[in-house]
Amino acid sequence: MSEKITKCEFCGKETEELNVIDGHYCCDDCRENKDIFIVCPKYDDYVFKELTVEVIVNERGDIQLWCPEAANDYATQCNHCGKFYSSEHITFRHTGDGDHICPSCVSNYQVCRRCGRL
């Protein structure tokens, strides 16, 4: 029989009702602490901040923190720089090998005269 957890793992506060977010037990105050948890703007759900993915969401380079599931569903990772970009707002180029290349990294490639690919 498992023991019921009643103590917030972040502040140590004892409470009858704890939130469980990404496997972490926390009180309401810690759930609202933006240094610990954020609300994913895509899925409108709490996520442990250490698990978030930085996603560039527009041409200006503004960054939002998304949950890993949202990044997987709505972002593309550049195979050159490794950054994640919102698939809704950024157009990627593709290399002959099928790699995704963001607009910032395209200048590192040349276009093949025969096939037109990077």
Side-chain angles (χ1 to χ4, degrees):
M1 182 169 151
S2 66
E3 178 180 322
K4 183 176 180 187
I5 298 173
T6 60
K7 193 175 193 179
C8 175
E9 69 181 81
F10 298 98
C11 70
K13 179 180 172 182
E14 296 262 351
T15 182
E16 297 258 337
E17 295 291 322
L18 287 174
N19 304 286
V20 182
I21 303 169
D22 295 325
H24 296 280
Y25 292 84
C26 65
C27 66
D28 289 343
D29 290 337
C30 287
R31 180 190 64 198
E32 300 303 322
N33 183 334
K34 298 202 182 332
D35 291 330
I36 303 172
F37 296 99
I38 61 111
V39 176
C40 176
K42 282 300 207 184
Y43 286 138
D44 197 31
D45 201 9
Y46 288 93
V47 61
F48 186 50
K49 191 171 181 179
E50 288 183 18
L51 298 178
T52 59
V53 177
E54 285 188 355
V55 178
I56 299 169
V57 295
N58 56 35
E59 300 288 339
R60 291 189 311 266
D62 295 337
I63 294 174
Q64 291 180 346
L65 296 177
W66 291 6
C67 68
E69 293 80 12
N72 186 56
D73 294 344
Y74 295 103
T76 303
Q77 185 176 21
C78 176
N79 291 105
H80 187 84
C81 67
K83 294 178 182 176
F84 285 84
Y85 291 82
S86 170
S87 301
E88 299 167 294
H89 302 288
I90 307 293
T91 303
F92 275 74
R93 296 284 307 269
H94 298 90
T95 66
D97 296 333
D99 288 345
H100 303 288
I101 307 301
C102 72
S104 299
C105 293
V106 165
S107 64
N108 294 309
Y109 293 81
Q110 294 180 353
V111 176
C112 175
R113 288 186 222 169
R114 279 190 288 153
C115 70
R117 293 183 181 168
L118 293 179

